[in-house]
Structures are given as C-alpha cells and as structure tokens.
Amino acid sequence: MSSWPHWMIMPVVLPLLCGALLILLERNRPAWAPWLSVASLLALVGLSTHLLIAADSGEIGVYLLSNWRAPFGIVLVLDRLSALMLLLSNLLGLACALHALGGDAQRGAHFHALLQFQLMGLNGAFLTGDLFNLFVFFEVLLIASYGLLLHGGGAARLRAAIHYVSFNLAASALFLIAVGLLYGLTGTLNMADLALRVAALEAEQLLLAKSAALLLLVVFSVKAALLPLYFWLPATYASASSSVAALFALMTKVGIYAIARVFTLIFGASAGLMAEPAGSWLAILALATLVLGSLGALAAEHLRGQIAYLLVASAGTLLLAIGLGSPGALAAALSYLPGSTQACAALFLLAGQLSAARGSQADALQAAPFAYGRQRLGLLFFIAAIIVGGLPPLSGFIGKALLLQASQTHALMAWVWAGVLLSSLIVLLALARAGSTLFWASDDAPVPCSGPAPGVAAQLSCYALLALAIASGVLAGPLYRYASASAAQLYAPQAYIDAVLAQDSAPARFDVRKEMREAGLSKGGAQ
Amino acid sequence: MEMMLALAVGTLTGSGVYLMLRARVFDLIVGLTLLSYAVNLFLFLMGRARIGAAPILDGQRAANLAEYADPLPQALVLTAIVISFAMTALMLVLALRTRAETGSDHVDGEEPR
C-alpha cells in the first residue's frame, strides 16, 4: 500500500472537516466558502487518483479504525472497485461544486457544507468493510441528499422530498432488520468474516439467512432503482436543482456498488448453500427496468424527467450485468459505468443551462426560442446523447457491446440481446426527438431568461464532464483492463477475506495500560 | 418472554406499515416512528433476550456469552435510535413546510381525485 497508511481514511475525514469548517465560514466569511469547498474537492480528486493507482497494484488495502483488529473493530477496505467508485464520486462532486458556483449555491444556505457531507457519506460507503458501518454511511449520504434535494425550496421539491425521504426511511428500517438477522445468525458484521460464516451456516438456518440476503437486495435496489422500486426517482431527480441532480446521477451507483460488493463477497458463488440467493431474478427485473426506463424516457414531457429515466435505464443495464453473474459481464458493466454516469450528469447540467436560457418554457420538450447559447448547448447535448444512447464511437457503445459479448454463453442470452438492443433503439428515438425539438425546431430570440448566462466555472464543469465521458471511450483499453481486473478481484473473494482478517494492528507507540498502571490509575492500582 | 417480544415486534411493524399506507403525512410520520421502534426492539433481540446478565466483563466469571449479555446489539440500537430520532425531526419539519406550501396533508401534496 502507500507510504502513509492514513491516506485511506482521508476521503472520509477531509470532507467531514471541510464540511464542519464550511458551516462556520458561510456565516463569517461567505466569500471564502466556495473556494474552500472547491479546494477540498480538488484535493479529494487527487487523493482518490493516488488511491486508484495504489489499488491497481492488485493489493487490497486494509485500514483498522482505532487499531482494532478485524472482525472486532471496523475496517476500511480499498480494492479496485472501491477505488474506481471513489474517483468517480469525487470527480462528480467537483463538477457539481463548480457548476453550483454559477448560481445554484446561492439559492439557500449551506450548499457547500451539505455537498461535503454528501461526499463523506459516498466515500465512506465505498470504503467500508463493515455492514453496519455501510448502513451508517448510507444514512450520512441520505441525510445530506435530503438537504441538497430541498436546497432552494419550492412546492415541487417539497412534494418530491416527502416521497424520497419516507421511501428511504422505510428502506433503512429494512436494512436494519437484515443486518440484525445476519448478526443474530452469525454474530459478526464484518463483511469478510460474514462471508466465512454465511458459507458455514447449517441448512436449518438457511431460510432466515436467505430472507436477510433478499432484504438487503431490496434495500440496495431502492437506491439502485430496480424495477418495482424506482418510482420515486424521476420526480425526485427532475425537481432537484441541476447541480444537485448531476451529483445524484451517482446515487443510484451506490446501490449498484453495494449489490456488486455484497452479492459477490458474502452471498457469492463460494457461499455454499447460500450462493446467489436471488437466482436469475435480478437479471430479469433489471431487463424489465431497462426497457421501462427507456420507455419512460420516450414518454417524458420535460428534459430533466427524460434524463432521470435515462438514469433508470442505465441502472438497469448495470444491474443486468451484475445479475448475469459472470466476471466478463461485470467487467463490461464497470467499463460502461463511468462514461454513462458522467454523460448523464453532464446532461443534467445542460438541462439547467437550457432552462435558464429559455425563460418561462424552461426544460419542457417543446420548441421555444433561446435567449443565448442554442448552438453551443445543442452541440454538447448531441455528444452526451451519443454516449448515453450507446452509438459508436463513444464510450456508451463500447460498454454495451462488451455486455452483449459477455452474455453470449448465458441462458438468458436471447432476452439480454433483445432487451439491450431494443432499449438502445428506444433511448435513441427519445433523444433524437428531444434534440430535434429543443434545438432544431427552436430559434434564437431575446426572450426574458430566468437566470444569468452560465459563468466560466459552470461551462467548464460541463465541458470537463463530457471530456471525461469521451476519455472513458478513447481510453477504453486501459479502462477495460482495469474493469476486468476489478471483476476478477470481486469474483475471487478469498483474497479480500484473507487481507482483512490477517491485517495486524499497528505496533503501539506507547502502552496505555502500562502507563495507567504506573500512574496508579488501573483497576488494580485504584483498589 | 420470546413470544411476548416477538408479538410486540410484529404488532409495531403491522401498525407502522398500516399507518404508512394511509397516505397522510402525519400518519406516515407516526407509522415510520412505530416501524423504527419495531426495528430497534428487533435489533435488541438479535443479541438474544437475557435477564440479569451484565454486558461488561467483571473479571470474576469466565468471559463467554453464557455468562454475559452481548453488548454489541445495544450499541447498534443506540446508533439506530439516534438516526431515527433525527429523521423523525426532519420529517416533521418537511411535513409542516409541505402543509404550508401546498395546503394539503396528503403525501402527494394534493387531494386524490
């Protein structure tokens, strides 16, 4: 691992400290707050790049909190998948902060502090190796996301927030029940230790363990937007401000990460009687999600609603790849994930700029004049649409082609090919219709616009996200190599388990008990 | 004792789910609260129901779970209580704001047609 062991916890500690500091700064030095936030996010991006390079050596980094050995204490674990997700979340956080400089941050209090706490939750969820700690980080990121969703106020956001908050609270209750069941059965919550003990469960405990596994799947599917559980998503994402919606493009990926982690490590192929408790249901539901998500995009009346449905479809593609249950399919998913997430986030940012430029028509999918920027926005929309729709030569196409290739030997092959190709066609139709209505059928006119023209930072964040999405297609070779190495690492969980359980505590600099004894403070000395 | 506690968890969950499905914001909040009580009780029980067992080692008895109560679920419950308390407060603020902005206490912000 890297030279200084504490680098690994910095993605959690840094946003926590900056978030706390920002609350003070926003009151006393409001002009400094955005710069501290952006500086912290730049540092986080650098840090997660460093961790990604460290994880790419194939070594699994383990950080013992308070120096307690696993499974007695909480551990943070860094493997290839968590490093990739860390980098992606911090990049999106940076783009969100830059775009919010253009106005979204000023519509209410504490935007940047909430953003930092959101990233703390995301980074923690990607790093933790403990199931209850995963719950805690889920709550941290959810609480911050409630604040971000409501940021700026308004009746539409409040209505969406009631659904979003209550749905997620119910899901958290289910998460705790699943965690409790697993603890009651195995007596541990460390994921590596759970993997060993779940595999050794007796047949009579199977039913309870299976319910716990499926409850976890339901909880993660709420976050990941799987078929019967995605109905909260379109209204929520369409009502958030565009900077926030861009960051929320990553929120579904947390659920997908958790499914990929838990259902390869704890309930993976090596779990004996408990292997793959969901059977092929995950793949079937994901296919239905994919098709319904694309139909939703076709039926949407507003651009943001359409992008939200595109996110559902992209989550469906990723879950389908996980549901196929082979390292090849997972590698395809992981090379599809960065490009499609960044392109969807860029689309949300574009939708925000477009609404500002069209005044009262906002982002309705109707022809309406633009006050400025029609050609620039149109060009950017075109590039993002190619990536999301999965047309060659950009990254979306490569990811989907890899997925089709990986499903060739699977029993559901015909369904997968039909579903993926059909949904790509529908998405393409939806985006072509939206693009031609918004940009070709409209013209330029000095309409009263509802916001200022996007500043340098806001435009830069848009360009940067699209450039990253394009780069993940241009660099498809190295990305796919990394993705297949991650998938191989996930499907060989023994190395993860060994690394976590064998990690020794760091040698103590001083012996607390000895010093207490010498000072007459220990139990024996006090009596 | 197990039967009584199990019935309590079941009753709380059932009432909580019923209230959540009534689609009024106040009922929803009470329902979520009942559900979180059920979850806390359930988590607590997952450390096995024991009477009169101490969770902290006193050094006089053998250190095993036959002599002591499992302290971990109690720590989990404490965390869960703190989180659900904060979330209930947030939901209440949200409910009041929604009532003020939309004039309706239906979860959709308008009366069903």
Side-chain angles (χ1 to χ4, degrees), chain A residues 72 132 135-136 139 142-143 146-147 150 153-159 161-163 165-167 169-170 172-174 176-185 187-189 523, chain B residues 13 20 25 28 32 35-36 39-40 42-43 46-48 57-59 70 72-73 75-77 79-80 83 86-88 90-91 94-95 97-98 101-102 106-110:
Chain A
F72 304 110
F132 192 78
F135 164 77
V136 173
E139 288 304 308
L142 283 173
I143 292 170
Y146 303 149
L150 284 164
R157 271 179 207 159
L158 280 168
R159 270 200 294 268
I162 287 265
H163 292 186
V165 175
S166 48
F167 208 66
L169 285 184
S172 299
L174 289 184
L176 280 177
I177 291 176
V179 164
L181 269 176
L182 280 177
Y183 183 77
L185 285 171
T188 182
L189 289 169
K523 222 175 173 184
Chain B
T13 312
M20 280 174 67
V25 177
L28 175 68
L32 281 170
L35 194 61
S36 80
V39 167
N40 291 341
F42 180 81
L43 273 183
M46 279 297 120
R48 305 296 184 268
L57 302 183
D58 58 7
D70 186 354
L72 196 86
L76 301 185
V77 169
T79 315
I83 292 178
M87 294 327 307
T88 311
L90 177 87
M91 269 304 274
L94 202 57
R97 281 292 297 277
T98 317
E101 294 249 353
T102 63
H106 194 269
V107 288
D108 290 335
E110 57 190 15

Side-chain angles (χ1 to χ4, degrees), chain A residues 73-98:
Chain A
I74 293 172
V75 288
L76 300 184
V77 187
L78 179 83
D79 66 353
R80 285 195 176 94
L81 176 64
S82 24
L84 177 71
M85 300 304 293
L86 269 185
L87 182 60
L88 191 61
S89 80
N90 291 320
L91 278 174
L92 278 187
L94 181 62
C96 167
L98 283 177

Side-chain angles (χ1 to χ4, degrees), chain A residues 294-330:
Chain A
S294 354
L295 283 175
L298 191 62
E301 289 172 352
H302 290 85
L303 183 57
R304 280 194 215 159
Q306 183 170 59
I307 306 165
Y309 273 110
L310 292 176
L311 268 179
V312 174
S314 130
T317 313
L318 292 166
L319 288 171
L320 173 64
I322 296 173
L324 290 180
S326 69
L330 189 57

